[in-house]
Amino acid sequence: MFRWDQVWYYLFQDPNLYFLQAAWITLWISVVAQAIGIVLGFILALMRTSKYVFLVWPARAYLWFFRGSPLLVQVLLLWAGLPKIFPNALLPAWACILVAFSLNEGAYMSEIIRAALGSVDPGQMEAAKALGMRNNLAMRRIVIPQAMRVIIPPLGNEFNNMLKTTSIATVIGVEELTGTARDFGSQNFTIFELLIVATIYYLVLTTIWEFVQRWIENRFDPDRANVAIAAAQEKSTMKRLTGLGAQTAR
Amino acid sequence: MNTDVTTNDFEGSQNVEMVRTEQLVKRFGDNIVLNGIDFHVKRGQAVVVIGPSGSGKTTLLRCLNHLEKIDDGRIYIDGQLVGYREEKGRLVEDSEANIARLRSQIGFVFQRFNLFAHKTALENIIEAPIHVLRQPKDQVVERARVLLDKVGLADKEDAYPHRLSGGQQQRVAIARALAMNPKLMLFDEATSALDPELVGEVLKVMRQLAEEGMTMVAVTHEMGFARDVADHVVFMDKAQIVEQGPPEQIFGECENERTRNFLSRVL
Ligand SMILES: Nc1ncnc2c1ncn2[C@@H]1O[C@H](COP(=O)(O)OP(=O)(O)OP(=O)(O)O)[C@@H](O)[C@H]1O
Ligand SMILES: [Mg+2]
């Protein structure tokens, strides 16, 4: 039978706040890994668009590996392999997860960032140069801020994914949401109930993120021009889904 | 000829020549786009470059501030070698810092405006004076407002480029270039991306600049502007300067066949 009381207990009555703590671990691993991933992504994107072969090829090899093999395998490789290479290094499980997730995310972010940098009209760089800006200054003041507007929507997706993918951390014993549900649940045969608790926490996290993302998108949008466009698109999607007003619309 | 120097520049009298190219050659692959160009602009002169499409006018302007590398010859702006320095008789590309410094003294107005899309009109104008010339912000803002007023856009300082008409954008772009206090202005078909009814407002600003004694080179298809404003007209065709002289000569009794053909088509 289904133990509603267990769901209720771990959501609202647990004095030890196990799931809240687990959610916190999920959250901070996601945030830190995403942040490092963004920085790595910028470095890799700049390397890949560089004119020097000795920068381009390492970046390509990096992407080839991290996008070409499963994240779970990368985590396990790191977990099993590091002690072999550095027998004396004691890498805790959470650090191992953080490294693997950051490296992996860097590869995906670099693709997003490269595409965004490429989407900025080359005329912007030319104008900056013609005004006497050096390459770094022009990138920092003109190109990257415009690329940010293109980066942010897919970045939102990446982070949403990251929040959920942290569940992989459970395989090497990190007590994030999924691991906590499994461990507590297998003790008293309530794994289904506790997975529901974990799911609710995941949903809360991703929902909050959705709001944050919308707020960030507005901030990076001078003049809120794209808000109007987005609203118009949303409307037309609704129309398409419902079939309402399709004929009468303009 | 305009040899009297009206600028209050100290070195003004030493060097009446603002632009000098010597046997300038530029290729794109096998395509010779500039084939031995000797191009001269005197201080305070307004030079208009005309010629059929593909003759190399844009490329010439872009070489002048080293947006394009050159393959042979020399370019001097205000007596300084552009983009290169001589080492043991050979030309070596100059450092990024020197090239940037040179460009900061030359205003460039693009056919497609290229205003910074994420900045308002005012922010576009103050960007380079603050971050390149490192001038104090309040001073720069004050001057930017004067320039906006000068190009007739005092009320548009907070507008983003996409909210401005093409003519307004181009006038902001001109103000942005002027904010650097350039000693030379280059205009690459500043009006050809504009709707016909917006051309006049931009030409008016350019004409005013010429009257104030700004040294400028304008590539344009506006023959009326060339005739009225230019001190000197250069006609280019097939990677070469075919003919040049005062507008009365070019538009009046030009002897060259190709020039006459071109003019009969555009006038
Ligand atoms: N980046 C480039 N790469 C290769 N070829 C180029 C490049 N830019 C210009 N060209 C070629 O150089 C020649 C001269 O081009 P340019 O743009 O200077 O002509 P233009 O006189 O400005 O013509 P228009 O009146 O059409 O603007 C053309 O044949 C053009 O195809
Ligand atoms: Mg051109």
Side-chain angles (χ1 to χ4, degrees):
Chain A
M1 58 162 265
F2 188 77
R3 300 271 313 269
W4 273 113
D5 61 309
Q6 286 288 304
V7 175
W8 189 257
Y9 176 81
Y10 280 110
L11 275 180
F12 301 116
Q13 291 171 325
D14 175 14
N16 298 312
L17 304 170
Y18 286 122
F19 274 87
L20 198 62
Q21 284 180 38
W24 169 244
I25 292 175
T26 293
L27 182 64
W28 80 254
I29 288 182
S30 303
V31 169
V32 175
Q34 187 69 54
I36 299 174
I38 293 172
V39 175
L40 267 178
F42 261 108
I43 295 169
L44 287 165
L46 294 175
M47 281 171 75
R48 281 197 72 190
T49 50
S50 147
K51 52 186 171 194
Y52 302 110
V53 190
F54 66 91
L55 292 177
V56 176
W57 280 100
R60 282 203 189 163
Y62 184 103
L63 260 71
W64 170 77
F65 176 77
F66 280 99
R67 294 179 359 125
S69 56
L71 175 58
L72 177 57
V73 173
Q74 291 162 17
V75 168
L76 293 173
L77 271 177
L78 208 60
W79 185 235
L82 269 189
K84 289 222 166 85
I85 307 171
F86 308 103
N88 301 321
L90 258 180
L91 193 64
W94 60 263
C96 175
I97 283 296
L98 210 55
V99 171
F101 277 45
S102 303
L103 295 180
N104 184 273
E105 185 57 23
Y108 285 92
M109 281 311 297
S110 96
E111 286 295 89
I112 291 172
I113 293 168
R114 192 171 67 108
L117 291 175
S119 76
V120 176
D121 172 10
Q124 298 284 308
M125 186 52 137
E126 294 237 300
K129 283 193 170 160
L131 284 164
M133 291 195 189
R134 296 171 66 166
N135 196 66
N136 286 351
L137 181 67
M139 283 302 274
R140 201 175 76 233
R141 301 275 320 165
I142 307 302
V143 177
I144 291 176
Q146 291 186 47
M148 280 317 271
R149 282 194 272 170
V150 185
I151 290 172
I152 282 168
L155 170 64
N157 275 338
E158 284 296 303
F159 187 66
N160 172 291
N161 256 324
M162 178 71 83
L163 283 169
K164 297 174 301 190
T165 313
T166 46
S167 60
I168 282 181
T170 161
V171 298
I172 60 171
V174 176
E175 287 294 299
E176 40 65 70
L177 280 171
T178 310
T180 304
R182 191 195 49 192
D183 291 354
F184 282 81
S186 52
Q187 281 163 24
N188 36 11
F189 307 103
T190 54
I191 189 147
F192 180 60
E193 287 79 355
L194 295 199
L195 279 174
I196 285 183
V197 174
T199 305
I200 290 171
Y201 269 101
Y202 280 122
L203 285 169
V204 169
L205 287 176
T206 52
T207 307
I208 293 174
W209 170 243
E210 205 164 296
F211 282 107
V212 174
Q213 186 190 347
R214 208 163 295 165
W215 178 79
I216 297 175
E217 272 172 31
N218 284 347
R219 288 225 31 186
F220 268 92
D221 194 5
D223 211 19
R224 309 281 143 103
N226 294 343
V227 174
I229 298 169
Q233 278 168 353
E234 220 160 280
K235 225 183 275 167
S236 68
T237 315
M238 274 309 287
K239 273 179 196 151
R240 231 174 299 146
L241 285 175
T242 58
L244 289 175
Q247 302 306 319
T248 51
R250 261 203 291 177
Chain B
M1 286 288 179
N2 188 353
T3 42
D4 58 318
V5 176
T6 46
T7 50
N8 52 5
D9 214 326
F10 288 127
E11 27 181 1
S13 49
Q14 291 169 11
N15 187 7
V16 282
E17 210 158 51
M18 181 60 85
V19 180
R20 183 167 92 247
T21 77
E22 296 173 352
Q23 286 301 302
L24 170 58
V25 173
K26 171 70 189 174
R27 298 188 195 92
F28 286 111
D30 295 337
N31 185 6
I32 296 193
V33 178
L34 298 174
N35 193 359
I37 301 281
D38 290 313
F39 178 71
H40 305 260
V41 180
K42 295 198 175 65
R43 208 173 277 273
Q45 245 185 351
V47 173
V48 166
V49 180
I50 59 174
S53 182
S55 54
K57 307 177 300 291
T58 298
T59 309
L60 173 61
L61 280 199
R62 290 169 58 84
C63 287
L64 292 184
N65 72 348
H66 201 63
L67 280 176
E68 298 289 354
K69 293 179 185 168
I70 65 175
D71 292 298
D72 203 2
R74 312 254 144 131
I75 300 173
Y76 296 92
I77 302 260
D78 210 7
Q80 267 184 295
L81 193 58
V82 171
Y84 300 85
R85 54 177 197 272
E86 297 207 69
E87 264 174 25
K88 300 182 193 118
R90 307 203 69 199
L91 288 191
V92 189
E93 189 164 26
D94 215 343
S95 69
E96 193 195 1
N98 282 343
I99 293 169
R101 188 165 326 118
L102 173 98
R103 288 183 183 140
S104 72
Q105 301 166 349
I106 304 174
F108 199 106
V109 176
F110 297 86
Q111 186 172 355
R112 304 222 41 98
F113 332 133
N114 293 348
L115 286 183
F116 301 136
H118 62 312
K119 293 184 177 294
T120 64
L122 188 80
E123 287 166 350
N124 262 279
I125 298 174
I126 66 177
E127 178 67 21
I130 290 176
H131 293 279
V132 175
L133 303 179
R134 306 197 167 283
Q135 294 172 345
K137 184 170 178 186
D138 43 353
Q139 237 170 281
V140 175
V141 169
E142 201 176 309
R143 215 179 55 247
R145 294 214 166 99
V146 173
L147 285 169
L148 271 175
D149 190 44
K150 177 177 174 150
V151 298
L153 292 171
D155 54 334
K156 295 288 184 194
E157 68 170 64
D158 291 326
Y160 283 91
H162 67 93
R163 293 282 164 102
L164 298 172
S165 74
Q168 291 170 332
Q169 287 187 56
Q170 193 61 296
R171 285 183 281 153
V172 173
I174 294 173
R176 176 174 72 173
L178 291 175
M180 298 294 280
N181 260 327
K183 50 186 174 191
L184 169 67
M185 285 287 286
L186 307 175
F187 294 86
D188 184 17
E189 299 196 23
T191 57
S192 57
L194 300 177
D195 292 337
E197 71 272 21
L198 302 178
V199 168
E201 63 192 47
V202 173
L203 288 183
K204 192 175 136 216
V205 172
M206 290 171 64
R207 179 185 305 247
Q208 192 188 343
L209 275 178
E211 279 162 7
E212 288 167 6
M214 172 64 78
T215 312
M216 53 200 263
V217 180
V219 171
T220 184
H221 290 301
E222 296 294 328
M223 294 305 146
F225 178 81
R227 200 180 343 217
D228 298 351
V229 179
D231 300 307
H232 192 77
V233 176
V234 171
F235 173 70
M236 283 181 74
D237 191 18
K238 303 210 176 84
Q240 284 178 315
I241 294 181
V242 175
E243 186 164 16
Q244 55 182 316
E248 310 81 62
Q249 180 196 321
I250 300 290
F251 294 105
E253 69 277 4
C254 68
E255 57 260 34
N256 189 290
E257 174 79 42
R258 277 195 270 173
T259 318
R260 246 181 299 147
N261 262 337
F262 174 73
L263 288 176
S264 67
R265 266 183 288 124
V266 293
L267 286 179

